[in-house]
PDB file of all heavy atoms in Angstrom:
ATOM      1  N   SER A 247      -9.957   2.837  -3.369  1.00 98.00           N
ATOM      2  CA  SER A 247      -8.849   3.154  -4.282  1.00 98.00           C
ATOM      3  C   SER A 247      -9.147   4.415  -5.085  1.00 98.00           C
ATOM      4  O   SER A 247      -8.271   5.273  -5.260  1.00 98.00           O
ATOM      5  CB  SER A 247      -8.597   1.984  -5.229  1.00 98.00           C
ATOM      6  OG  SER A 247      -8.213   0.839  -4.508  1.00 98.00           O
ATOM      7  N   VAL A 248     -10.380   4.546  -5.557  1.00 98.00           N
ATOM      8  CA  VAL A 248     -10.772   5.742  -6.307  1.00 98.00           C
ATOM      9  C   VAL A 248     -10.682   6.967  -5.401  1.00 98.00           C
ATOM     10  O   VAL A 248     -10.211   8.035  -5.817  1.00 98.00           O
ATOM     11  CB  VAL A 248     -12.182   5.577  -6.905  1.00 98.00           C
ATOM     12  CG1 VAL A 248     -12.720   6.887  -7.430  1.00 98.00           C
ATOM     13  CG2 VAL A 248     -12.164   4.528  -8.003  1.00 98.00           C
ATOM     14  N   ALA A 249     -11.113   6.825  -4.156  1.00 98.00           N
ATOM     15  CA  ALA A 249     -11.050   7.946  -3.216  1.00 98.00           C
ATOM     16  C   ALA A 249      -9.602   8.368  -2.968  1.00 98.00           C
ATOM     17  O   ALA A 249      -9.295   9.568  -2.930  1.00 98.00           O
ATOM     18  CB  ALA A 249     -11.720   7.567  -1.901  1.00 98.00           C
ATOM     19  N   VAL A 250      -8.706   7.415  -2.815  1.00 98.00           N
ATOM     20  CA  VAL A 250      -7.291   7.733  -2.574  1.00 98.00           C
ATOM     21  C   VAL A 250      -6.690   8.462  -3.772  1.00 98.00           C
ATOM     22  O   VAL A 250      -5.983   9.466  -3.616  1.00 98.00           O
ATOM     23  CB  VAL A 250      -6.492   6.450  -2.251  1.00 98.00           C
ATOM     24  CG1 VAL A 250      -4.994   6.703  -2.324  1.00 98.00           C
ATOM     25  CG2 VAL A 250      -6.871   5.929  -0.885  1.00 98.00           C
ATOM     26  N   VAL A 251      -6.980   7.991  -4.975  1.00 98.00           N
ATOM     27  CA  VAL A 251      -6.436   8.637  -6.174  1.00 98.00           C
ATOM     28  C   VAL A 251      -7.004  10.047  -6.317  1.00 98.00           C
ATOM     29  O   VAL A 251      -6.269  11.000  -6.609  1.00 98.00           O
ATOM     30  CB  VAL A 251      -6.721   7.781  -7.431  1.00 98.00           C
ATOM     31  CG1 VAL A 251      -6.381   8.541  -8.703  1.00 98.00           C
ATOM     32  CG2 VAL A 251      -5.943   6.485  -7.372  1.00 98.00           C
ATOM     33  N   ALA A 252      -8.311  10.203  -6.097  1.00 98.00           N
ATOM     34  CA  ALA A 252      -8.936  11.517  -6.237  1.00 98.00           C
ATOM     35  C   ALA A 252      -8.375  12.511  -5.221  1.00 98.00           C
ATOM     36  O   ALA A 252      -8.049  13.651  -5.568  1.00 98.00           O
ATOM     37  CB  ALA A 252     -10.450  11.398  -6.075  1.00 98.00           C
ATOM     38  N   ILE A 253      -8.245  12.088  -3.985  1.00 98.00           N
ATOM     39  CA  ILE A 253      -7.714  12.980  -2.947  1.00 98.00           C
ATOM     40  C   ILE A 253      -6.254  13.320  -3.247  1.00 98.00           C
ATOM     41  O   ILE A 253      -5.825  14.465  -3.051  1.00 98.00           O
ATOM     42  CB  ILE A 253      -7.878  12.343  -1.553  1.00 98.00           C
ATOM     43  CG1 ILE A 253      -9.360  12.342  -1.182  1.00 98.00           C
ATOM     44  CG2 ILE A 253      -7.066  13.076  -0.505  1.00 98.00           C
ATOM     45  CD1 ILE A 253      -9.693  11.566   0.072  1.00 98.00           C
ATOM     46  N   SER A 254      -5.495  12.360  -3.758  1.00 98.00           N
ATOM     47  CA  SER A 254      -4.096  12.628  -4.104  1.00 98.00           C
ATOM     48  C   SER A 254      -3.995  13.677  -5.208  1.00 98.00           C
ATOM     49  O   SER A 254      -3.131  14.559  -5.152  1.00 98.00           O
ATOM     50  CB  SER A 254      -3.407  11.338  -4.548  1.00 98.00           C
ATOM     51  OG  SER A 254      -3.389  10.393  -3.498  1.00 98.00           O
ATOM     52  N   VAL A 255      -4.873  13.579  -6.206  1.00 98.00           N
ATOM     53  CA  VAL A 255      -4.859  14.558  -7.290  1.00 98.00           C
ATOM     54  C   VAL A 255      -5.227  15.941  -6.758  1.00 98.00           C
ATOM     55  O   VAL A 255      -4.579  16.938  -7.088  1.00 98.00           O
ATOM     56  CB  VAL A 255      -5.805  14.117  -8.425  1.00 98.00           C
ATOM     57  CG1 VAL A 255      -6.033  15.240  -9.425  1.00 98.00           C
ATOM     58  CG2 VAL A 255      -5.258  12.877  -9.113  1.00 98.00           C
TER      59      VAL A 255
END
Side-chain angles (χ1 to χ4, degrees):
S247 298
V248 168
V250 167
V251 170
I253 289 172
S254 298
V255 168

